[in-house]
Amino acid sequence: MTLQNLPLSRRNNEIKDSEIPKYVGKLKGFLGHEALAKAQLDLDKDLTHHGCCYRNWAQELRPWLFAFRIYDRETKNGVCIPKKWPAEIREMVGDARMISSLHYGMPEDVRAKYRKDLLTDQHNDFMVEIHTAWHYYLQGFGIQWSPLGQDSCPEFRVRGGSLDFNVECRRFTCDMSEHVKTPAIADTCDMIYEVLRTRNLWGE
């Protein structure tokens, strides 16, 4: 039986409060403690030269760095468990759950790229790829990540339930330097939507 012909079996998405420290540790281990410490030092340098607006912007772009700080403060560097976990930590742990399940199927160069890119200002762009893969993973599909170095290569391939297709991810953002990209993608999505609607196909 080929991979694409395997029947689908939905996977679990549950995280218990007692598992939060475990997933925080897994995420730190995936990113690398030295790389994470350097990213925090770089953030400190940036914050000392800017005000509240920059902090708010930085929190949007690098949410994990702030969530790790909240975690260390709330747990006193891991020695106690708070009665209620802050939302920032819960959101980060949700991301950690995805990565802890998905990274095993990634080629090493892809894992290394995510380790690096998820600590930069492009964090949200690359999390879109993780969230998209997670959607298919939960449905029971197999995820085959594309190795780096290939031209015009999709992020990953989805197989299972008699389906086999590539997935290319795009994120809608305001890019002042490249005005054409988002409108062009929006128009393309509208065209695809009409094709799917006429065939009564729906999804997220």
Side-chain angles (χ1 to χ4, degrees):
M1 179 179 288
T2 61
L3 184 59
Q4 64 263 30
N5 290 328
L6 289 175
L8 298 183
S9 178
R10 289 183 63 87
R11 296 181 172 102
N12 184 22
N13 196 28
E14 181 182 355
I15 301 174
K16 298 176 181 177
D17 280 5
S18 60
E19 295 178 307
I20 286 179
K22 176 184 75 174
Y23 282 110
V24 171
K26 282 177 176 286
L27 185 57
K28 287 183 176 181
F30 174 78
L31 296 171
H33 295 281
E34 289 185 11
L36 183 55
K38 183 182 183 304
Q40 293 286 21
L41 283 175
D42 291 342
L43 177 60
D44 281 334
K45 292 176 183 176
D46 291 343
L47 294 177
T48 58
H49 293 94
H50 301 280
C52 291
C53 288
Y54 182 89
R55 174 179 286 272
N56 291 334
W57 179 68
Q59 283 179 300
E60 290 290 328
L61 297 181
R62 289 173 277 177
W64 288 356
L65 297 184
F66 291 88
F68 279 128
R69 294 177 181 209
I70 295 171
Y71 177 85
D72 290 340
R73 185 179 68 240
E74 291 287 325
T75 64
K76 296 181 173 58
N77 290 317
V79 299
C80 69
I81 301 296
K83 293 182 179 179
K84 183 177 181 181
W85 293 102
E88 296 89 343
I89 294 175
R90 290 184 177 277
E91 290 173 7
M92 179 178 68
V93 167
D95 294 341
R97 171 81 166 86
M98 299 179 207
I99 290 171
S100 69
S101 297
L102 293 172
H103 86 273
Y104 292 107
M106 296 177 182
E108 179 52 39
D109 59 347
V110 174
R111 279 201 298 268
K113 188 174 188 303
Y114 277 117
R115 288 189 191 104
K116 173 178 168 288
D117 292 335
L118 289 171
L119 288 175
T120 69
D121 287 348
Q122 285 73 48
H123 169 93
N124 294 316
D125 295 331
F126 292 100
M127 279 308 300
V128 166
E129 299 170 6
I130 298 295
H131 285 139
T132 304
W134 187 245
H135 165 77
Y136 291 110
Y137 178 85
L138 287 181
Q139 305 304 312
F141 288 100
I143 308 296
Q144 181 182 342
W145 296 87
S146 302
L148 301 181
Q150 300 181 17
D151 294 333
S152 302
C153 187
E155 269 70 48
F156 53 86
R157 192 174 190 87
V158 172
R159 290 176 171 171
S162 299
L163 295 174
D164 184 350
F165 56 94
N166 292 326
V167 176
E168 174 76 19
C169 300
R170 286 290 181 265
R171 179 169 178 255
F172 287 84
T173 59
C174 180
D175 188 338
M176 300 304 292
S177 66
E178 298 182 62
H179 301 283
V180 70
K181 280 192 173 180
T182 298
I185 291 172
D187 291 343
T188 302
C189 288
D190 286 338
M191 293 168 59
I192 294 171
Y193 169 79
E194 285 302 317
V195 172
L196 296 178
R197 185 182 64 81
T198 58
R199 288 164 172 75
N200 199 31
L201 297 173
W202 299 93
E204 294 181 359

